[in-house]
């Protein structure tokens, strides 16, 4: 049976979401049709609002509704400890582990010569500026444990050397090759605890 065009479009869009295959997309689309119309409207509005209202914190790159995010504004966070991650999603993963009480700096990715991403495309200059102004006592690198993550860590360590700041990298252990997002809370908390000086 062929679905009418709007349903087909909806299924195709839903199937583009992570973790949702064609079968699930079909189920969700049909559910939306059968459920109260409010659900569809509220879902559409929530997606639109999120895209319209969420921006990146100008200091750390976290998701935020204001210029500075909640973490940067939180007086209880240890501002002398900056954790460097690739993306804002990594902040959410580390926060869930509850193992880190410092602040963050999202690079926007990692150095990847094969994908044409060099240091100048990442928020590295902003990080160096931050280290100069905020004078943190430690920088924790929480980058993925792969070739690009290693290259990025090496580059950063060299950049940080003249700044005289202590640099550590989280122990990846079981998570080699995986991203922070894919790691569970306990593993991340342990990785943070076991971080090593570079
Ligand atoms: Zn922030």
């Amino acid at each position: 049976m062929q679905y009418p065009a709007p349903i087909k479009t909806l299924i195709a869009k839903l199937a583009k979401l992570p973790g949702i295959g064609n079968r699930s997309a079909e189920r969700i689309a049909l559910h939306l049709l059968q459920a109260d119309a409010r659900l569809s409207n509220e879902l559409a509005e929530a997606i639109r609002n999120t895209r319209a209202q969420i921006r990146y914190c100008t200091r750390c790159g976290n998701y935020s509704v204001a210029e500075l995010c909640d973490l940067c504004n939180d007086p209880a966070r240890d501002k002398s400890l900056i954790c460097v991650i690739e993306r804002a999603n990594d902040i959410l993963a580390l926060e869930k582990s509850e193992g880190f009480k410092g602040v963050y700096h999202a690079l926007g990715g990692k150095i990847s010569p094969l994908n044409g991403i060099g240091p100048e495309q990442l928020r590295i200059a902003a990080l160096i500026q931050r280290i100069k102004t905020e004078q943190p006592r430690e920088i924790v690198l929480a980058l993925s444990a792969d070739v690009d993550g290693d290259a990025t860590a090496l580059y950063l360590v060299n950049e940080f050397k003249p700044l005289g700041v202590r640099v550590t990298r989280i122990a990846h252990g079981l998570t080699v090759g995986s991203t922070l997002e894919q790691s569970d809370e306990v593993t991340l908390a342990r990785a943070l605890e076991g971080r090593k000086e570079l």
Side-chain angles (χ1 to χ4, degrees):
M1 190 201 115
Q2 283 285 330
Y3 286 118
I7 302 181
K8 260 199 268 183
T9 307
L10 180 57
I11 293 172
K13 299 291 173 198
L14 288 169
K16 286 188 174 171
L17 300 175
I20 298 185
N22 275 322
R23 291 286 304 167
S24 303
E26 209 173 330
R27 234 185 349 253
I28 294 169
L30 296 179
H31 175 79
L32 286 171
L33 273 176
Q34 281 156 24
D36 195 315
R38 257 186 315 182
L39 178 60
S40 293
N41 290 333
E42 285 165 5
L43 183 63
E45 199 187 325
I47 294 171
R48 236 190 329 264
N49 284 348
T50 302
R51 289 302 310 217
Q53 291 167 14
I54 296 293
R55 49 175 166 155
Y56 292 106
C57 170
T58 52
R59 185 178 296 158
C60 75
N62 189 15
Y63 296 120
S64 180
V65 282
E67 194 185 333
L68 288 182
C69 72
D70 291 347
L71 291 175
C72 285
N73 273 326
D74 185 350
R77 303 298 295 213
D78 183 355
K79 306 286 195 298
S80 69
L81 194 56
I82 300 178
C83 181
V84 177
I85 68 279
E86 286 162 31
R87 303 196 174 274
N89 289 3
D90 298 333
I91 297 179
L92 305 178
L94 285 164
E95 283 299 294
K96 267 190 238 157
S97 81
E98 293 181 4
F100 186 70
K101 296 293 167 227
V103 288
Y104 296 94
H105 189 96
L107 295 175
K110 54 190 165 182
I111 296 172
S112 179
L114 277 179
N115 296 306
I117 300 167
E120 61 291 333
Q121 274 130 290
L122 303 170
R123 296 179 65 240
I124 291 177
L127 174 58
I128 287 163
Q129 194 49 52
R130 244 185 111 177
I131 295 172
K132 283 179 183 162
T133 5
E134 295 174 30
Q135 309 255 305
R137 69 185 153 85
E138 182 182 341
I139 303 287
V140 185
L141 302 181
L143 306 164
S144 40
D146 55 21
V147 177
D148 291 341
D150 290 348
T152 310
L154 192 67
Y155 180 87
L156 290 177
V157 168
N158 282 324
E159 289 292 301
F160 296 161
K161 237 175 228 160
L163 304 172
V165 64
R166 179 172 186 242
V167 189
T168 56
R169 187 169 183 192
I170 65 163
H172 268 283
L174 297 173
T175 66
V176 170
S178 70
T179 65
L180 288 188
E181 251 187 293
Q182 294 160 342
S183 308
D184 67 88
E185 286 111 68
V186 181
T187 309
L188 277 181
R190 220 177 281 149
L192 270 165
E193 223 168 88
R195 60 186 189 263
K196 295 196 175 60
E197 186 138 14
L198 295 177

